[in-house]
Amino acid sequence: MFSYTDNLLLQALMKKHKREHSLLAETLLEYETLTGDEVRNLILKGKKPNRPIINKNGGTRGDTSVLSGEDRSKPRLPGMGGKVGTRRDAKDV
């Protein structure tokens, strides 16, 4: 457990480096992975990598219908008839 003094120190460090944390989180959402040099350039110089952004959707990937409330009653996997079972559902052959 952290002591009261430790908590104050941690809070001060988080506030002091809030800009760097936010920038790193935002950049990781965009590029997914960063090299050590890219992290150093980002933190020390505020410079993002000079390569194409992988994710331009602000972090959302894959099936975003979950977020939009889209009707999910129709089959999501073609040819599966809307039902995908688990191993426990499978009958022994």
Side-chain angles (χ1 to χ4, degrees), residues 4-17:
Y4 179 74
T5 307
D6 292 337
N7 282 332
L8 290 177
L9 178 61
L10 290 171
Q11 287 177 359
L13 284 171
M14 293 297 288
K15 284 181 183 178
K16 179 180 178 181
H17 298 289

Side-chain angles (χ1 to χ4, degrees), residues 37-78:
D37 289 335
E38 289 173 335
V39 171
R40 275 187 285 285
N41 284 334
L42 183 67
I43 299 301
L44 298 176
K45 301 175 185 176
K47 182 181 175 192
K48 289 191 176 187
N50 187 20
R51 58 183 165 107
I53 294 175
I54 294 173
N55 185 358
K56 298 178 183 177
N57 298 325
T60 57
R61 293 191 57 178
D63 185 5
T64 57
S65 65
V66 176
L67 303 173
S68 67
E70 182 180 301
D71 179 22
R72 297 183 56 95
S73 60
K74 62 184 178 203
R76 293 182 296 168
L77 299 174

Side-chain angles (χ1 to χ4, degrees), residues 27-36 38-39 49 51-52 54:
T27 306
L28 282 168
L29 285 172
E30 292 173 351
Y31 292 91
E32 295 183 357
T33 59
L34 299 171
T35 65
E38 289 173 335
V39 171
R51 58 183 165 107
I54 294 173

